Amino acid sequence: MIRGEKICLRPLRRSDLDLLHEHANDPEFEGEYNNFGLKRDRHLLAAFEEDGLLNSQFANLVVTTPDDQFLGIVSYHPARYGPEASIAYNIGISLAPEQRGKGYGGEAQKLLADYLFKTYPIMRVEASTDVTNIAEQRALAEAGFTREATVRKAQWRGGAWHDLLIYSKLRGE
């Protein structure tokens, strides 16, 4: 378990899957910025059985309060910039609607970036967010990320193309 001031990050448990599947097709839970279409029922089960959804290629961690109340999920996957040694990790977050705006997102992303730097020989952790997602932009800044660039019309979501902002945090920052 990774402990912060207000939150913790921990591996998924089998008991978390029912809650995640319950919310998988809930537009309110996914929110405006994480709704990428319908997911099939029990879509996480096979991957969980294989490795607990925790490996170097794609991982999910549960965001909880110190007393283990579910707040949301953070994830990471590699982003390659050339040969094998040129790997960064791209992170994402999805908080339950009632948990947004409480400062959990910034702390969760800071803890996740710190964990990745301690665990993998990487120089860079990055995240992207919609140009209109002001809350996530603030959370990334609070987590110590630097805004780098706008990627024009990079993401198809909700029937339209959206510009994304790229943020990064380098080892030692």
Side-chain angles (χ1 to χ4, degrees):
M1 181 171 293
I2 302 165
R3 295 185 186 279
E5 187 177 313
K6 295 188 288 187
I7 60 121
C8 299
L9 304 179
R10 66 162 171 78
L12 269 80
R13 299 176 185 143
R14 178 176 288 285
S15 58
D16 296 321
L17 294 180
D18 286 339
L19 179 64
L20 293 176
H21 285 127
E22 179 183 319
H23 292 302
N25 292 308
D26 179 352
E28 185 177 332
F29 183 84
E30 290 181 334
E32 176 183 359
Y33 302 108
N34 285 325
N35 190 342
F36 298 102
L38 295 174
K39 296 166 191 74
R40 63 186 170 78
D41 191 37
R42 304 286 166 205
H43 65 285
L44 299 172
L45 187 56
F48 180 83
E49 293 292 336
E50 186 175 319
D51 60 18
L53 289 166
L54 188 59
N55 65 63
S56 64
Q57 296 306 303
F58 184 81
N60 285 292
L61 295 170
V62 177
V63 182
T64 70
T65 60
D67 64 350
D68 207 34
Q69 176 191 351
F70 177 87
L71 302 173
I73 296 287
V74 291
S75 64
Y76 61 90
H77 66 274
R80 299 196 186 283
Y81 290 98
E84 284 290 319
S86 301
I87 295 174
Y89 274 99
N90 185 289
I91 66 171
I93 187 165
S94 184
L95 293 176
E98 65 276 9
Q99 305 303 340
R100 297 176 191 150
K102 298 179 180 181
Y104 299 142
E107 185 175 357
Q109 290 170 110
K110 180 186 182 316
L111 289 173
L112 181 56
D114 291 347
Y115 165 77
L116 292 170
F117 286 129
K118 289 175 185 171
T119 306
Y120 299 104
I122 57 171
M123 175 54 73
R124 173 186 177 88
V125 175
E126 63 186 29
S128 61
T129 190
D130 193 280
V131 296
T132 63
N133 191 345
I134 305 304
E136 175 61 357
Q137 292 172 44
R138 266 185 274 182
L140 288 167
E142 288 171 14
F145 284 70
T146 299
R147 181 174 163 174
E148 291 185 333
T150 302
V151 184
R152 299 179 309 145
K153 306 299 180 200
Q155 188 177 83
W156 178 259
R157 188 185 72 252
W161 288 100
H162 297 266
D163 293 350
L164 295 178
L165 297 175
I166 302 297
Y167 283 77
S168 72
K169 186 173 188 176
L170 302 180
R171 183 179 289 280
E173 289 184 338

